[in-house]
Coordinates of all heavy atoms in Angstrom, one line a residue:
M295 N 42.3 56.1 97.9 CA 41.9 55.6 99.2 C 41.1 56.8 99.9 O 41.6 57.9 100.0 CB 43.1 55.2 100.0 CG 42.8 54.7 101.4 SD 44.2 54.2 102.3 CE 44.3 52.5 102.0
N296 N 39.9 56.5 100.3 CA 39.2 57.5 101.0 C 39.4 57.4 102.5 O 40.0 56.5 103.0 CB 37.7 57.5 100.6 CG 37.0 56.2 101.1 OD1 37.3 55.7 102.2 ND2 36.2 55.6 100.3
D297 N 38.8 58.4 103.3 CA 39.0 58.4 104.7 C 38.4 57.2 105.5 O 38.9 56.9 106.5 CB 38.4 59.7 105.3 CG 39.3 60.9 105.0 OD1 40.4 60.8 104.6 OD2 38.8 62.0 105.2
D298 N 37.4 56.6 104.9 CA 36.8 55.5 105.5 C 37.5 54.2 105.2 O 37.2 53.1 105.8 CB 35.3 55.3 105.1 CG 34.5 56.4 105.8 OD1 34.8 56.9 106.9 OD2 33.5 56.8 105.1
Q299 N 38.4 54.2 104.3 CA 39.1 52.9 104.0 C 39.9 52.4 105.2 O 40.6 53.2 105.8 CB 40.0 53.1 102.8 CG 40.6 51.7 102.3 CD 41.2 51.8 101.0 OE1 41.1 52.8 100.2 NE2 42.0 50.8 100.6
I300 N 39.9 51.1 105.3 CA 40.7 50.5 106.4 C 42.1 50.3 105.9 O 42.3 49.7 104.9 CB 40.0 49.2 106.8 CG1 38.6 49.5 107.4 CG2 40.9 48.5 107.9 CD1 37.8 48.2 107.7
V301 N 43.0 50.9 106.7 CA 44.4 50.8 106.4 C 45.0 49.5 107.0 O 45.6 48.7 106.4 CB 45.2 52.0 106.8 CG1 46.7 51.9 106.5 CG2 44.7 53.3 106.1
C302 N 44.8 49.4 108.3 CA 45.2 48.2 109.0 C 44.1 47.2 109.0 O 43.1 47.3 109.8 CB 45.7 48.5 110.4 SG 46.3 47.0 111.2
L303 N 44.1 46.2 108.2 CA 43.0 45.3 108.0 C 43.0 44.3 109.2 O 41.9 43.8 109.5 CB 43.1 44.5 106.7 CG 42.9 45.4 105.5 CD1 43.4 44.7 104.2 CD2 41.5 45.8 105.3
C304 N 44.1 44.1 109.9 CA 44.1 43.2 111.0 C 43.2 43.7 112.2 O 42.5 43.0 112.8 CB 45.5 43.0 111.5 SG 46.5 41.9 110.5
F305 N 43.3 45.0 112.3 CA 42.6 45.7 113.5 C 41.5 46.7 113.1 O 40.9 47.3 113.9 CB 43.6 46.3 114.4 CG 44.5 45.3 115.0 CD1 45.8 45.1 114.5 CD2 44.1 44.5 116.1 CE1 46.7 44.2 115.1 CE2 45.0 43.6 116.6 CZ 46.3 43.4 116.1
G306 N 41.2 46.7 111.8 CA 40.1 47.6 111.3 C 40.4 49.0 111.5 O 39.4 49.8 111.8
V307 N 41.6 49.5 111.4 CA 41.9 50.9 111.7 C 41.8 51.7 110.4 O 42.5 51.4 109.4 CB 43.4 51.1 112.3 CG1 43.6 52.5 112.6 CG2 43.6 50.2 113.5
R308 N 40.9 52.6 110.4 CA 40.6 53.4 109.2 C 41.6 54.6 109.0 O 42.2 55.1 110.0 CB 39.2 54.0 109.3 CG 38.2 52.9 109.3 CD 36.7 53.4 109.3 NE 35.8 52.4 109.5 CZ 35.4 51.6 108.5 NH1 35.7 51.8 107.3 NH2 34.5 50.6 108.8
R309 N 41.7 55.0 107.8 CA 42.6 56.1 107.5 C 42.3 57.3 108.3 O 43.2 58.0 108.8 CB 42.5 56.4 106.0 CG 43.3 57.5 105.5 CD 43.0 57.8 104.0 NE 43.7 59.0 103.6 CZ 44.6 59.0 102.5 NH1 44.8 57.9 101.9 NH2 45.2 60.1 102.2
R310 N 41.0 57.6 108.4 CA 40.6 58.8 109.2 C 41.2 58.8 110.6 O 41.7 59.8 111.1 CB 39.1 58.8 109.3 CG 38.5 60.0 110.2 CD 37.0 60.0 110.2 NE 36.5 60.5 108.9 CZ 35.8 59.7 108.1 NH1 35.5 58.5 108.4 NH2 35.4 60.3 106.9
K311 N 41.1 57.6 111.3 CA 41.7 57.5 112.6 C 43.2 57.7 112.6 O 43.7 58.4 113.6 CB 41.3 56.1 113.2 CG 39.9 55.9 113.6 CD 39.6 56.7 114.8 CE 38.1 56.5 115.2 NZ 37.7 57.4 116.2
L312 N 43.8 57.2 111.6 CA 45.3 57.3 111.6 C 45.7 58.8 111.4 O 46.6 59.3 112.0 CB 45.9 56.4 110.5 CG 45.8 54.9 110.9 CD1 46.0 54.1 109.6 CD2 46.9 54.6 111.9
V313 N 45.0 59.4 110.4 CA 45.3 60.8 110.1 C 45.1 61.7 111.4 O 45.9 62.6 111.7 CB 44.5 61.3 108.9 CG1 44.6 62.8 108.8 CG2 45.0 60.6 107.6
Q314 N 43.9 61.4 112.0 CA 43.6 62.2 113.2 C 44.7 61.9 114.3 O 45.1 62.9 115.0 CB 42.2 61.7 113.7 CG 41.7 62.5 114.9 CD 40.3 62.0 115.2 OE1 40.0 60.8 115.1 NE2 39.4 63.0 115.6
F315 N 45.1 60.7 114.5 CA 46.1 60.4 115.5 C 47.4 61.1 115.2 O 48.1 61.7 116.0 CB 46.3 58.8 115.5 CG 47.3 58.4 116.5 CD1 46.8 58.0 117.8 CD2 48.6 58.2 116.2 CE1 47.7 57.6 118.7 CE2 49.5 57.8 117.2 CZ 49.1 57.4 118.4
I316 N 47.8 61.1 113.9 CA 49.1 61.8 113.5 C 49.0 63.3 113.8 O 49.9 63.9 114.3 CB 49.4 61.5 112.0 CG1 49.7 60.0 111.8 CG2 50.5 62.4 111.5 CD1 49.7 59.5 110.4
R317 N 47.8 63.8 113.4 CA 47.6 65.3 113.6 C 47.6 65.7 115.1 O 48.2 66.7 115.5 CB 46.3 65.7 113.0 CG 46.3 65.7 111.5 CD 47.0 67.0 111.0 NE 46.9 67.0 109.5 CZ 48.0 67.2 108.7 NH1 49.1 67.4 109.3 NH2 47.8 67.1 107.4
T318 N 47.0 64.9 115.9 CA 46.8 65.3 117.3 C 47.9 64.8 118.3 O 48.3 65.5 119.2 CB 45.4 64.8 117.9 OG1 45.4 63.4 117.8 CG2 44.3 65.4 117.1
R319 N 48.4 63.6 118.0 CA 49.4 63.0 118.9 C 50.8 63.3 118.5 O 51.8 63.1 119.2 CB 49.1 61.5 119.1 CG 47.7 61.2 119.6 CD 47.6 61.3 121.1 NE 48.4 60.3 121.8 CZ 48.0 59.1 122.1 NH1 46.8 58.7 121.8 NH2 48.8 58.2 122.7
R320 N 51.0 63.6 117.2 CA 52.3 63.9 116.6 C 53.3 62.8 117.0 O 54.3 63.1 117.7 CB 52.8 65.2 117.0 CG 51.9 66.3 116.5 CD 52.4 67.7 116.9 NE 51.5 68.8 116.6 CZ 51.5 69.4 115.4 NH1 52.3 69.0 114.5 NH2 50.6 70.3 115.2
P321 N 53.1 61.6 116.6 CA 54.1 60.5 117.0 C 55.5 60.8 116.4 O 55.6 61.2 115.3 CB 53.5 59.2 116.4 CG 52.5 59.7 115.3 CD 52.1 61.1 115.8
R322 N 56.5 60.5 117.3 CA 57.9 60.8 116.9 C 58.4 59.6 116.0 O 59.5 59.8 115.4 CB 58.7 61.0 118.1 CG 58.2 62.2 118.9 CD 59.0 62.5 120.1 NE 60.2 63.2 119.6 CZ 60.9 64.1 120.4 NH1 60.6 64.2 121.6 NH2 61.9 64.7 119.9
A323 N 57.8 58.5 116.1 CA 58.3 57.3 115.3 C 57.0 56.6 114.7 O 56.0 56.6 115.4 CB 59.1 56.4 116.2
V324 N 57.2 56.1 113.6 CA 56.1 55.4 112.9 C 55.6 54.3 113.8 O 54.4 54.0 113.8 CB 56.4 54.9 111.5 CG1 57.5 53.8 111.5 CG2 55.2 54.4 110.8
S325 N 56.4 53.6 114.6 CA 56.0 52.5 115.4 C 55.0 53.0 116.5 O 54.2 52.2 117.0 CB 57.2 51.9 116.1 OG 57.9 52.8 116.9
Q326 N 55.0 54.3 116.8 CA 54.0 54.8 117.7 C 52.6 54.8 117.2 O 51.6 54.9 118.0 CB 54.4 56.2 118.2 CG 55.7 56.2 119.0 CD 56.1 57.6 119.4 OE1 56.2 58.4 118.6 NE2 56.3 57.8 120.7
L327 N 52.4 54.5 115.9 CA 51.1 54.4 115.4 C 50.4 53.2 115.9 O 49.1 53.0 115.8 CB 51.1 54.4 113.8 CG 51.4 55.7 113.1 CD1 51.4 55.5 111.6 CD2 50.5 56.8 113.6
S328 N 51.1 52.3 116.5 CA 50.5 51.1 117.1 C 49.6 51.5 118.3 O 48.7 50.8 118.7 CB 51.6 50.1 117.6 OG 52.4 50.7 118.6
D329 N 49.8 52.7 118.8 CA 48.9 53.2 119.9 C 47.6 53.6 119.3 O 46.7 54.0 120.1 CB 49.6 54.4 120.6 CG 50.8 54.0 121.4 OD1 50.9 52.8 121.8 OD2 51.6 54.9 121.7
C330 N 47.4 53.6 118.0 CA 46.2 53.9 117.4 C 45.5 52.6 117.1 O 45.6 52.1 116.0 CB 46.4 54.8 116.1 SG 44.9 55.3 115.3
F331 N 44.8 52.0 118.1 CA 44.0 50.8 117.9 C 44.9 49.6 117.5 O 44.3 48.7 116.8 CB 42.8 51.0 117.0 CG 41.9 52.1 117.5 CD1 42.0 53.4 116.9 CD2 41.0 51.9 118.5 CE1 41.2 54.4 117.4 CE2 40.2 52.9 118.9 CZ 40.3 54.2 118.4
G332 N 46.2 49.6 117.7 CA 47.0 48.5 117.4 C 47.5 48.4 116.0 O 48.0 47.4 115.5
A333 N 47.3 49.5 115.2 CA 47.7 49.5 113.8 C 49.1 49.0 113.6 O 50.1 49.5 114.3 CB 47.6 51.0 113.3
G334 N 49.3 48.1 112.7 CA 50.6 47.6 112.3 C 51.1 46.5 113.2 O 52.2 46.0 112.9
T335 N 50.4 46.1 114.2 CA 50.9 45.1 115.1 C 50.5 43.6 114.8 O 50.7 42.7 115.6 CB 50.6 45.4 116.6 OG1 49.2 45.4 116.7 CG2 51.2 46.7 117.0
G336 N 49.8 43.5 113.7 CA 49.3 42.1 113.3 C 50.2 41.5 112.3 O 51.4 41.3 112.6
C337 N 49.8 41.3 111.1 CA 50.5 40.6 110.0 C 51.7 41.5 109.5 O 52.6 41.0 108.9 CB 49.6 40.2 108.9 SG 49.0 41.7 107.9
G338 N 51.6 42.8 109.7 CA 52.7 43.7 109.2 C 52.5 44.2 107.8 O 53.2 45.1 107.3
W339 N 51.4 43.8 107.1 CA 51.2 44.2 105.7 C 51.1 45.8 105.6 O 51.6 46.4 104.7 CB 49.9 43.6 105.2 CG 49.4 44.3 104.0 CD1 48.3 45.0 103.9 CD2 50.0 44.3 102.7 NE1 48.1 45.5 102.6 CE2 49.2 45.1 101.9 CE3 51.1 43.7 102.1 CZ2 49.5 45.3 100.5 CZ3 51.4 44.0 100.8 CH2 50.6 44.7 100.0
C340 N 50.4 46.4 106.6 CA 50.1 47.8 106.4 C 51.3 48.7 106.8 O 51.2 49.9 106.6 CB 48.9 48.1 107.3 SG 49.2 47.9 109.1
R341 N 52.3 48.1 107.3 CA 53.4 49.0 107.9 C 54.0 50.0 106.8 O 54.2 51.1 107.2 CB 54.5 48.1 108.5 CG 54.0 47.5 109.8 CD 55.1 46.6 110.4 NE 54.4 45.8 111.5 CZ 54.9 44.7 111.9 NH1 56.1 44.2 111.4 NH2 54.3 44.0 112.9
P342 N 54.2 49.6 105.6 CA 54.7 50.6 104.6 C 53.7 51.7 104.4 O 54.1 52.9 104.2 CB 54.9 49.8 103.4 CG 55.1 48.4 103.8 CD 54.2 48.2 105.0
Y343 N 52.5 51.4 104.5 CA 51.4 52.4 104.3 C 51.3 53.3 105.5 O 51.1 54.5 105.4 CB 50.1 51.8 103.9 CG 50.2 51.0 102.7 CD1 50.4 49.6 102.7 CD2 50.3 51.6 101.4 CE1 50.5 48.9 101.6 CE2 50.5 50.9 100.3 CZ 50.6 49.5 100.4 OH 50.8 48.8 99.2
L344 N 51.5 52.7 106.7 CA 51.6 53.5 107.9 C 52.7 54.5 107.8 O 52.6 55.7 108.2 CB 51.7 52.6 109.2 CG 50.5 51.7 109.5 CD1 50.9 50.8 110.7 CD2 49.2 52.4 109.7
E345 N 53.9 54.0 107.4 CA 55.0 54.9 107.2 C 54.8 56.0 106.2 O 55.2 57.1 106.4 CB 56.3 54.1 106.8 CG 57.4 55.0 106.5 CD 58.7 54.5 107.2 OE1 58.8 53.3 107.6 OE2 59.6 55.3 107.4
Q346 N 54.1 55.6 105.1 CA 53.8 56.7 104.1 C 52.9 57.8 104.7 O 53.2 59.0 104.5 CB 53.0 56.0 102.9 CG 52.7 56.9 101.8 CD 52.0 56.2 100.7 OE1 52.0 55.0 100.6 NE2 51.5 57.0 99.8
L347 N 51.9 57.4 105.5 CA 51.0 58.4 106.1 C 51.8 59.2 107.2 O 51.7 60.4 107.2 CB 49.8 57.7 106.8 CG 48.8 57.0 105.8 CD1 47.8 56.3 106.6 CD2 48.2 58.0 104.9
W348 N 52.6 58.5 108.0 CA 53.3 59.1 109.1 C 54.3 60.1 108.6 O 54.5 61.2 109.2 CB 54.0 58.1 110.0 CG 54.9 58.6 111.0 CD1 54.5 59.2 112.2 CD2 56.3 58.7 111.0 NE1 55.6 59.6 112.9 CE2 56.7 59.3 112.1 CE3 57.2 58.3 110.0 CZ2 58.0 59.5 112.4 CZ3 58.6 58.5 110.3 CH2 59.0 59.1 111.5
S349 N 55.0 59.8 107.5 CA 56.1 60.6 107.0 C 55.6 61.8 106.1 O 56.4 62.6 105.7 CB 57.2 59.8 106.3 OG 56.6 59.2 105.1
S350 N 54.4 61.8 105.8 CA 53.8 62.8 104.9 C 53.6 64.1 105.5 O 53.1 64.2 106.7 CB 52.5 62.3 104.2 OG 52.0 63.2 103.4
E351 N 53.8 65.2 104.8 CA 53.4 66.5 105.2 C 51.9 66.6 105.3 O 51.3 67.4 106.0 CB 54.0 67.6 104.3 CG 55.5 67.7 104.3 CD 56.0 68.4 105.6 OE1 55.3 69.3 106.0 OE2 57.0 67.9 106.1
S352 N 51.2 65.9 104.4 CA 49.8 65.9 104.3 C 49.2 64.5 104.2 O 48.8 64.1 103.1 CB 49.5 66.7 103.0 OG 48.1 66.8 102.8
P353 N 49.1 63.8 105.3 CA 48.7 62.4 105.3 C 47.3 62.2 104.7 O 47.1 61.1 104.1 CB 48.8 62.0 106.7 CG 48.8 63.2 107.5 CD 49.4 64.3 106.7
E354 N 46.5 63.2 104.8 CA 45.1 63.0 104.3 C 45.1 63.1 102.8 O 44.1 62.7 102.1 CB 44.1 64.1 104.9 CG 44.5 65.5 104.6 CD 45.6 66.1 105.5 OE1 45.9 65.5 106.5 OE2 46.2 67.1 105.1
S355 N 46.2 63.5 102.2 CA 46.2 63.7 100.7 C 47.0 62.5 100.1 O 47.2 62.5 98.8 CB 46.9 65.0 100.3 OG 46.2 66.1 100.9
E356 N 47.6 61.7 100.9 CA 48.5 60.6 100.3 C 47.6 59.7 99.4 O 46.5 59.3 99.8 CB 49.1 59.8 101.4 CG 50.3 60.5 102.1 CD 51.4 60.7 101.1 OE1 51.8 59.7 100.4 OE2 51.9 61.8 101.0
T357 N 48.2 59.3 98.3 CA 47.5 58.3 97.4 C 48.0 56.9 97.8 O 49.1 56.6 97.9 CB 47.9 58.6 96.0 OG1 47.6 59.9 95.6 CG2 47.2 57.6 95.0
L358 N 47.0 56.1 98.2 CA 47.2 54.7 98.5 C 46.4 53.9 97.6 O 45.5 54.3 97.0 CB 46.8 54.5 100.0 CG 47.6 55.3 101.0 CD1 47.0 55.1 102.4 CD2 49.1 55.0 101.0
P359 N 46.6 52.6 97.5 CA 45.9 51.7 96.6 C 44.4 51.7 96.9 O 44.0 51.9 98.1 CB 46.5 50.3 96.9 CG 47.8 50.6 97.5 CD 47.7 51.8 98.3
D360 N 43.6 51.3 95.9 CA 42.2 51.2 96.2 C 41.9 50.0 97.1 O 42.8 49.1 97.2 CB 41.4 51.1 94.9 CG 41.7 49.7 94.2 OD1 41.0 48.8 94.5 OD2 42.6 49.7 93.3
A361 N 40.8 50.0 97.8 CA 40.5 49.1 98.8 C 40.6 47.6 98.4 O 41.1 46.8 99.1 CB 39.1 49.4 99.4
Q362 N 40.1 47.4 97.2 CA 40.0 46.0 96.7 C 41.4 45.4 96.4 O 41.8 44.4 96.9 CB 39.1 45.8 95.5 CG 39.0 44.4 95.1 CD 38.0 44.2 93.9 OE1 37.3 45.1 93.6 NE2 38.0 43.0 93.3
S363 N 42.2 46.2 95.7 CA 43.5 45.7 95.4 C 44.4 45.7 96.6 O 45.3 44.8 96.8 CB 44.2 46.5 94.3 OG 44.3 47.9 94.6
Y364 N 44.2 46.6 97.5 CA 44.9 46.6 98.8 C 44.6 45.3 99.6 O 45.5 44.7 100.1 CB 44.4 47.8 99.6 CG 45.2 48.1 100.9 CD1 46.4 48.8 100.8 CD2 44.7 47.8 102.1 CE1 47.1 49.1 102.0 CE2 45.3 48.1 103.3 CZ 46.6 48.7 103.2 OH 47.2 49.0 104.4
A365 N 43.3 44.9 99.7 CA 43.0 43.7 100.4 C 43.5 42.5 99.7 O 44.0 41.5 100.4 CB 41.5 43.7 100.6
E366 N 43.5 42.5 98.4 CA 44.0 41.3 97.7 C 45.5 41.1 97.9 O 46.0 40.0 98.1 CB 43.6 41.4 96.2 CG 42.1 41.2 95.9 CD 41.7 41.6 94.5 OE1 42.6 42.0 93.7 OE2 40.5 41.4 94.2
A367 N 46.2 42.2 97.8 CA 47.6 42.2 98.0 C 48.0 41.7 99.4 O 49.0 41.0 99.6 CB 48.2 43.6 97.7
R368 N 47.2 42.1 100.3 CA 47.4 41.7 101.7 C 47.2 40.2 101.9 O 48.0 39.5 102.5 CB 46.5 42.5 102.7 CG 46.7 42.0 104.1 CD 45.4 42.1 104.8 NE 45.5 41.8 106.2 CZ 44.6 41.2 106.9 NH1 43.5 40.8 106.2 NH2 44.7 40.9 108.1
E369 N 46.2 39.7 101.2 CA 46.0 38.2 101.2 C 47.2 37.5 100.7 O 47.6 36.5 101.2 CB 44.7 37.8 100.5 CG 43.4 38.1 101.3 CD 43.5 37.5 102.7 OE1 43.8 36.3 102.9 OE2 43.3 38.3 103.7
Q370 N 47.7 38.0 99.6 CA 48.9 37.3 99.0 C 50.1 37.4 99.9 O 50.8 36.5 100.0 CB 49.2 38.0 97.6 CG 48.1 37.7 96.6 CD 48.3 38.6 95.3 OE1 49.2 39.4 95.2 NE2 47.4 38.5 94.4
Y371 N 50.2 38.6 100.5 CA 51.3 38.7 101.5 C 51.2 37.7 102.6 O 52.2 37.1 103.0 CB 51.2 40.2 102.0 CG 52.1 40.5 103.2 CD1 53.5 40.8 103.0 CD2 51.6 40.4 104.5 CE1 54.3 41.0 104.1 CE2 52.4 40.7 105.6 CZ 53.8 41.0 105.4 OH 54.6 41.3 106.5
R372 N 50.0 37.6 103.1 CA 49.8 36.6 104.2 C 50.0 35.2 103.8 O 50.5 34.4 104.6 CB 48.4 36.8 104.8 CG 48.2 38.1 105.5 CD 46.9 38.3 106.1 NE 46.7 37.2 107.1 CZ 45.7 37.1 108.0 NH1 44.9 38.1 108.1 NH2 45.6 36.1 108.8
E373 N 49.6 34.8 102.6 CA 49.9 33.5 102.1 C 51.4 33.2 102.0 O 51.9 32.1 102.3 CB 49.2 33.3 100.7 CG 47.7 33.2 100.8 CD 47.0 33.2 99.5 OE1 47.6 33.0 98.5 OE2 45.8 33.3 99.5
R374 N 52.1 34.2 101.5 CA 53.6 34.1 101.3 C 54.2 34.0 102.7 O 55.2 33.3 102.9 CB 54.2 35.3 100.6 CG 53.9 35.3 99.1 CD 54.8 36.3 98.4 NE 54.8 37.6 99.0 CZ 54.0 38.6 98.6 NH1 53.1 38.4 97.7 NH2 54.0 39.8 99.2
S375 N 53.6 34.6 103.7 CA 54.2 34.7 105.0 C 54.0 33.4 105.9 O 54.6 33.2 106.9 CB 53.7 35.9 105.8 OG 54.1 37.1 105.1
S376 N 53.0 32.6 105.4 CA 52.6 31.5 106.3 C 53.3 30.2 105.9 O 54.1 30.2 104.9 CB 51.1 31.2 106.1 OG 50.7 31.0 104.8
Ligands
FES820 S1 47.0 44.8 108.1 FE1 47.9 46.0 109.7 S2 49.0 44.5 110.8 FE2 48.0 43.3 109.4

């Protein structure tokens, strides 16, 4: 996953924004990432990935799924949730 990849697909929040938010705002709980353009407050698919970034010592280095498989898995998640 590169810095331009969108992590929260519901709100179009890119990894770069999340990493910057984590570095500068130092959220004390992963739920506070919602203050970063609403990340995680839609379908909920991205929440485990938000937690992965938030809990990492080096969020910019975290390995996340490639964009296509990430988006496909989210669609499956949304279908199961509806
Ligand atoms: S992808 Fe982030 S809340 Fe839906």
Side-chain angles (χ1 to χ4, degrees):
M295 182 180 262
N296 65 40
D297 284 348
D298 287 330
Q299 187 170 344
I300 297 173
V301 177
C302 182
L303 292 164
C304 287
F305 295 101
V307 185
R308 296 181 188 277
R309 177 186 177 121
R310 174 179 289 113
K311 288 287 183 191
L312 289 162
V313 169
Q314 187 177 36
F315 185 89
I316 291 167
R317 290 276 183 234
T318 59
R319 303 275 295 271
R320 300 181 185 272
R322 301 182 80 154
V324 65
S325 61
Q326 291 177 308
L327 290 183
S328 64
D329 290 341
C330 184
F331 302 98
T335 60
C337 71
W339 164 251
C340 64
R341 289 177 193 159
Y343 301 100
L344 295 177
E345 173 130 24
Q346 183 179 345
L347 294 175
W348 173 77
S349 64
S350 174
E351 293 286 322
S352 179
E354 62 280 344
S355 305
E356 283 296 309
T357 301
L358 298 175
D360 68 85
Q362 184 174 349
S363 59
Y364 187 80
E366 289 171 357
R368 179 212 182 218
E369 282 308 307
Q370 293 169 3
Y371 170 82
R372 291 183 59 166
E373 286 172 14
R374 285 194 310 269
S375 301
S376 61

